[in-house]
Amino acid sequence: MSENNSFYTSERIFEGAEKLLEIWFGPTSGSIPDISSEFDNNRPLRNGLRLVERDVWDEMLDIVKCQVLNVVHNDYFDAYLLSESSMFIYPHKIILKTCGTTTLLIAIHRLLEIASEYCQLNKVWRVFYSRKSFVFPEAQLGPHKDWNEEVKFLDQLLDNGAAYTVGKSNGDHCWFLWLNSPQNDILLTELESAHPLDETGSDFQDITIEILMTELSSETLNKFYHNPSEGESGTQGGARIDRKTGLCDIYPEAQLDSYLYEPCGYSANGLLRDNYFNIHVTPERNCSYASFETNIPVGHGTIADVIHKVIAIFKPEKFSVTVFKTREDNDNKKLLVVSVDDINGYSRKDRILYEFEDYDLIFAQFEREKNFA
Amino acid sequence: MSENNSFYTSERIFEGAEKLLEIWFGPTSGSIPDISSEFDNNRPLRNGLRLVERDVWDEMLDIVKCQVLNVVHNDYFDAYLLSESSMFIYPHKIILKTCGTTTLLIAIHRLLEIASEYCQLNKVWRVFYSRKSFVFPEAQLGPHKDWNEEVKFLDQLLDNGAAYTVGKSNGDHCWFLWLNSPQNDILLTELESAHPLDETGSDFQDITIEILMTELSSETLNKFYHNPSEGESGTQGGARIDRKTGLCDIYPEAQLDSYLYEPCGYSANGLLRDNYFNIHVTPERNCSYASFETNIPVGHGTIADVIHKVIAIFKPEKFSVTVFKTREDNDNKKLLVVSVDDINGYSRKDRILYEFEDYDLIFAQFEREKNFA
């Protein structure tokens, strides 16, 4: 999606599939940041990682090979729109998502240094790294050429990692995941005690929903090309696309920061209190791709609603859904499974449920039914 | 487990983990074999693949690099005990399981030729190929050095294959699976109509349970060494081990064909009407391994019973369980999940549920709890 180096010609090939890294830091006893602030909605604070200066992030993003296009803030976090996707900075958590041939993993070492050096965040609590299978793996750089190399890289840098190849490995919608198991449960206890039980009696919750779509309909693709007769590209063009496509209606109450690239391509960050979503579109016909990701909590029934809304906009031939969720009780699993039940017009090729230590993951892959073409 | 080339010294390294291939052939219209015979218990027939002469199988097994040690039969199938594991020949189905550095995949081409040439079985209906991650992958030959190579090999030979990496890929109990989706549902209809509904109203059922165990207890390992003062090795020794270990009590009503190797190692085939089980043990301390596999149907509750019985005999530090089962209804999934719930003395590291087209698969990995050491 980068204006700088990706869209030389309108039908250049581009690897839309993103690398997604999420790092949670634990509190350091006696250190400045107070982790409870992140979870108490009455005391949003610009502290921890949010205090790190912009030039420090810029220099870290140089390692990744991407640049900041725009930044918006709310009381809870900072949302960076990048030349290749998104970055969300919370006081004790960073989400960094980059596409194309960026070298995200190479920057982890510097990222941990920054957390330690500027915020005394020395304890890595949770790390998640995931991505879809690449369409052009040979174009990738460093460890990103091969999943096994990425796993080796992460295993050398971080403790207690578990790597999973989720879905059909000889298909085009395989999904890879590396996650650690936190060694120190004390951190979890601190987090939980800092986050009082909500009205339903459940405690600390975390969810990530991802919808990764390929072979979008031609009609959809056209909407993500810049047509100078309609107005400017950039953030103004992004806002126009939000309305034209209906993307602004997925979470109508959210603050949106969207961007239309030249000659085509689109990115958006959404902010909704302490939660985010992001959408990235690669509309080149020969490698079309769109992704939607959010950590906005939903009732179980509404996971399916979110999927339906997103699919209706992009009309892909194929898509995969992953829902990653902290385990609440045994019903959780059943509801997760049901949330990726039938999608009208699509047949489900795979459904896989993973039970990790504290999280459940459901993965499902869908393909358009022939008679709905 | 081979006497010929594997146990030069008592503590030689040996790859116990088996490659497991299962091929179901569909009926060829107008051909000699009648597939319904296989599923009608009142008409067991020595037909189809069971008519193939021994020297034809011997020559096919030469390609795999293993030999027949013993053969037993019942009305339904032939059970071959191999120098490296087991082979079961049904009229329209072959199960071939080989360990060590055997080259099982290389023989598929010949196997399909034999089915076509001798039995006019030209239609491959279902193929399953699976194995645990190897301890010594570099010792393997041909495509078996690397799972991706095995997948390429199978994809070139057979249509509609889906490959899965099940469980933690950077751990020691990863499990790989390749399976096809039958293109011709007519075959399924024929199979189902040939197999009348049983008393519970359910139709065609297929189940495979595998328990793959590593780091067996020292006490267990000693039982699988040949002690000349106790008697002979070979089939006589095998029968002695069956009683000494309690392995004969897992299915007391089964016909057992067991074998004790020199200086150590054990294999057994079990026959129970139209179903089989097999057990293979590599007792070398530095690479100890035992496997149990069966297609004997069980009530849902008793999957856990089977696991408990087997684990109690081998007392491994780590083991994985896979249960592969035709889907009956939605309760099937829940009961499969519950069947690998808690195992006393072990903590479950992973539990993964796959929903394939007609089958469900549950995978779980267990490790001994520290305080139960």
Side-chain angles (χ1 to χ4, degrees), chain B residues 250-262:
Chain B
I250 298 180
Y251 296 107
E253 66 280 42
Q255 175 186 356
L256 255 178
D257 180 24
S258 310
Y259 200 96
L260 177 61
Y261 298 90
E262 293 269 9

Side-chain angles (χ1 to χ4, degrees), chain A residues 147-148 151 155 161-165 167-170 178 330 333 337 348-356, chain B residues 147-148 151 155 161-165 167-170 178 333 337 348-356:
Chain A
W147 174 246
N148 291 328
V151 172
D155 283 344
Y164 298 90
T165 300
K168 198 173 151 176
S169 67
N170 56 346
W178 186 100
N330 273 327
K333 287 196 285 283
V337 169
R348 196 181 57 235
K349 294 298 170 186
D350 264 325
R351 180 160 61 180
I352 310 174
L353 174 71
Y354 282 73
E355 293 179 52
F356 301 116
Chain B
W147 173 245
N148 291 328
V151 172
D155 282 344
Y164 298 89
T165 300
K168 198 173 151 176
S169 67
N170 55 347
W178 186 100
K333 287 197 286 283
V337 169
R348 197 180 58 236
K349 292 300 170 186
D350 264 325
R351 182 159 60 179
I352 310 175
L353 174 72
Y354 282 74
E355 292 178 52
F356 301 117

Side-chain angles (χ1 to χ4, degrees), chain B residues 73 90 130 184 225 234 264 277 320 344:
Chain B
H73 316 272
Y90 288 78
S130 65
N184 193 346
Y225 276 75
C264 66
F277 67 94
S320 60
N344 199 22

